[in-house]
Every structure is written in C-alpha cells, then in structure tokens.
Amino acid sequence: MFVFVCAGCDAELTTPLSRVALPVHAHQKYGNGIQLPVLMEPGTFAVEPEPWGPPWRTWEKVDPDEAAARGIYAPLYALSDGEPGAIVVAPGDTRGTRLIPDKCGGYCCGLDGADGPNLACEACGLPVASRIDDCSLWQAVWLAPNAVHRLPVDDAAATPLSWTELTATGKSTPPFEPIATWGGLLGTGHFWSWSPQWEAAAGQALAHLLAASQGGPVTVPAGLTEDVFQRALDTLLPAGPVARRAVLAGPERPAPDTHAGILLVPTHPHTGKVWAPPGAATSAYLVPLPFGVWLWLAFPTPHLPIPASGTMPDGVLRDDPPAPSPHRLFQADPRTFQHTLARLPAVRSPWLRDTLANLTQHTRARIF
C-alpha cells in the first residue's frame, strides 16, 4: 500500500492505495453526452507508462525515428510531450487538493484536463493533478508524476492472486449495461447498450487479431465471441479457403488445441501480465483480453432464478427477466484499436497501414 504526497511540501494527497494494471479503457472517449462512471476501483491506482496529456505535437512535427523509439510505428494525429508515469486514482481517494479556477476548462459538461493540471495542493498551491469528469470520459484524477512522490505505508509485500484464485473469485464484466446520459429537455435518463469496457477491450484485441492474421482470414468461437469479433474480421481481412482459428484459452480451461494459431487469453488485473499456457512455450499468438471480459466469454453467466430477498419466504426463487439486449451490432472502440495497432511492429505491413488510414471509413460503416 502507498500514499502519494506533494513533491513541494510532502502533504498527503491520497488515501492508502494498492497498485493494479492500467485499464484498457483508461483513455476511452465514449459517445456524446454520456455520463461514464469512475475509472478506478476505490483503494487502487494505476500508472500510465507512456507520456500522456498536454502539451501535444501533431504527427507532422514528429520525427519518425523518435516515434519508433517510443514504440509507435504508424502515423497518429498527435503525440503527447507530457511526462510519462502519470498516476490515475479514483476521485474519492484524493485528499488535500483544491481546484485551480483558471484551469477548469472542459469540452462540454465538465473538466477534461486539456489546460493542464487543474488541482493544486491545498497546503502549498503546487499544481499536482488533473480532475477529469467531462461527458463521455471516465471520471478520474490523474496525478502529475513530477509533482507527487509515492511513499509506502507498510512493509508487507502483497502477493497477487494466482490465476486459479482469480478464476474462482474474480468478477466478470457483463457485456451489456445501462448507459447514463446528461440531462436534456426530457431530463436525465439511460439506455441499454454494449458495455464501453467491452468495446475498448475489443478494440485492443482486434488490433492483435489483425496482427496475428498475417493478412489471411481468421475465425473465432461461435456465440458471444463471434458477435464481438467476426463481423469486423470478415470486413477487414480478405476471404480465403483456409482460416486461422482463434480460440479461448486460459486458467481452468481445457488445454488449447495445438492447431489453434491464436489464443484469446486473460491479462492479470493486478500485474497486467498476460496468461500463457504452462509448460512448453507455445508458438500461438496470445491476444490479451481484460480479465473480466475474458471471464465472461470463457465462463458465461447464465440467467438463472436467484434466491429472493426482502419479504419473500426463504427458499423461494425469483425469475427476473434478463437484461435488455442492445439494438445495434457490436462495434469495437476505434481509438483503442488505433492506439494499440500503431504500437504493434506488424503495423509496418502496407495492408495494416491501409487499415489505419481507412479507419474513418470503417467507422462510418459501423465496423467501429
């Protein structure tokens, strides 16, 4: 466990926190006028290893060799010249900060951090963080890495849960959820849709699936996995007589088929490490999925009667109706897809470069 303190005066700025992996959807922008919830679970923090946030440089001003040295192999609109190592926490876990009035700009309904740090240390006034709560952005506080220090609050080294423990006790992420909207003429409301977390996870995984395809067709397992990936794969990859097979693999699953060239596997939610088959090294391409998404795909949660609560007698089962289904086909998040693919060396291939160059057209065609 750690607390973060001000680099200027050592005032405590957070409650004790434990480190987890950076969520795939950390920088997602979802829809328009949408109220997204808090990004981080209470009591946790994550670190963005790359530079992020203002100031930004457009791609025309970036030397290709510099971009490659930063692990970016295809053109993007702009690159951040911010400090790497920004720390993201839940807003409720911050302490001893105040807003900086002339840094409180936002695009629409709240703060977006585009003006630089908008939170100052209450004790000494040093700008220390950016509060994000604008519409369509995940609510978070991003601590500036050059303005805070991390101090341990105990000497005990936490041992991450094993894959078996995670599978038994981990929380899966449902593919559908109610999406809240900001108030309008009819007031606040919500609608059922595909989970933004799933769309971001699919954007990351789809980039890896294309890199693993070697330019040929790819198939995924039937069911929800097919609903999420197959339409995009069939559109972005050429047809062919022999397709590479991607299969779900991971802890507590049967050993993957040796003929499967691509494995959809979980990432550890605490360490960020990708699961790999035990024993001999595999030649299959490992496509990472956030653990909660993978867990739902690998072990789907059936809609079953559940024990009643409240005034219902003990032992009586209540059969609630299932959650409504979205009224549109699944679409992967285009920004997460672009962010991931541009950082895979395979994107140097001309056909993958063309895929990125045509991303706007694919988005208009509702592939993304």
Side-chain angles (χ1 to χ4, degrees):
M1 301 287 287
F2 301 90
V3 295
F4 290 89
V5 301
C6 174
C9 67
D10 290 333
E12 290 191 3
L13 302 176
T14 70
T15 60
L17 306 171
S18 59
R19 184 169 181 174
V20 297
L22 183 72
V24 172
H25 52 285
H27 302 297
Q28 182 184 28
K29 181 175 175 62
Y30 185 84
N32 182 34
I34 302 299
Q35 282 185 300
L36 289 177
V38 173
L39 174 67
M40 301 299 296
E41 292 289 333
T44 67
F45 75 94
V47 178
E48 170 56 80
E50 294 189 24
W52 197 265
W56 297 85
R57 265 186 301 157
T58 58
W59 185 260
E60 292 75 16
K61 298 179 181 178
V62 178
D63 183 88
D65 292 336
E66 176 195 352
R70 291 173 57 169
I72 301 168
Y73 307 106
L76 298 171
Y77 175 73
L79 292 185
S80 170
D81 281 337
E83 287 287 328
I87 303 104
V88 62
V89 304
D93 285 333
T94 60
R95 299 290 186 271
T97 62
R98 60 173 174 82
L99 286 170
I100 304 173
D102 60 352
K103 295 288 188 179
C104 290
Y107 179 73
C108 184
C109 304
L111 309 175
D112 64 5
D115 297 329
N118 55 29
L119 290 178
C121 172
E122 200 169 37
C124 70
L126 178 71
V128 292
S130 294
R131 171 73 160 102
I132 308 296
D133 59 13
D134 206 352
C135 65
S136 302
L137 301 176
W138 289 87
Q139 297 183 48
V141 168
W142 290 85
L143 301 171
N146 57 354
V148 300
H149 297 312
R150 184 174 70 183
L151 300 180
V153 295
D154 58 49
D155 297 328
T159 302
L161 294 177
S162 69
W163 287 110
T164 299
E165 292 170 329
L166 272 175
T167 306
T169 63
K171 181 180 178 182
S172 59
T173 304
F176 318 128
E177 64 180 78
I179 306 297
T181 60
W182 284 95
L185 295 176
L186 300 178
T188 57
H190 72 273
F191 61 93
W192 279 90
S193 182
W194 291 97
S195 165
Q197 295 184 52
W198 274 66
E199 295 189 7
Q204 180 194 56
L206 184 59
H208 282 280
L209 285 167
L210 293 188
S213 72
Q214 301 177 359
V218 170
T219 62
V220 297
L224 186 56
T225 310
E226 184 179 33
D227 294 340
V228 169
F229 293 112
Q230 198 63 62
R231 186 170 68 97
L233 290 171
D234 291 344
T235 301
L236 300 174
L237 294 172
V242 180
R244 301 193 77 191
R245 288 195 304 114
V247 300
L248 286 163
E252 307 305 309
R253 294 274 299 178
D257 188 340
T258 56
H259 297 292
I262 306 170
L263 304 181
L264 297 160
V265 299
T267 55
H268 198 289
H270 302 143
T271 67
K273 291 184 178 179
V274 177
W275 181 89
T282 178
S283 60
Y285 190 112
L286 303 181
V287 175
L289 286 170
F291 184 81
V293 173
W294 174 87
L295 189 60
W296 190 285
L297 288 173
F299 303 98
T301 302
H303 178 73
L304 296 175
I306 59 175
S309 62
T311 59
M312 297 291 288
D314 292 340
V316 174
L317 298 178
R318 183 181 63 217
D319 187 10
D320 289 335
S325 298
H327 297 295
R328 62 173 175 85
L329 297 174
F330 184 87
Q331 296 167 237
D333 183 71
R335 296 185 183 213
T336 310
F337 172 80
Q338 181 186 48
H339 176 90
T340 304
L341 188 56
R343 287 160 174 78
L344 298 179
V347 79
R348 294 187 176 109
S349 301
W351 73 274
L352 277 177
R353 289 261 180 154
D354 290 343
T355 299
L356 277 185
N358 295 325
L359 188 58
T360 300
Q361 288 86 338
H362 293 313
T363 302
R364 288 173 179 167
R366 300 189 181 278
I367 300 302
F368 295 97

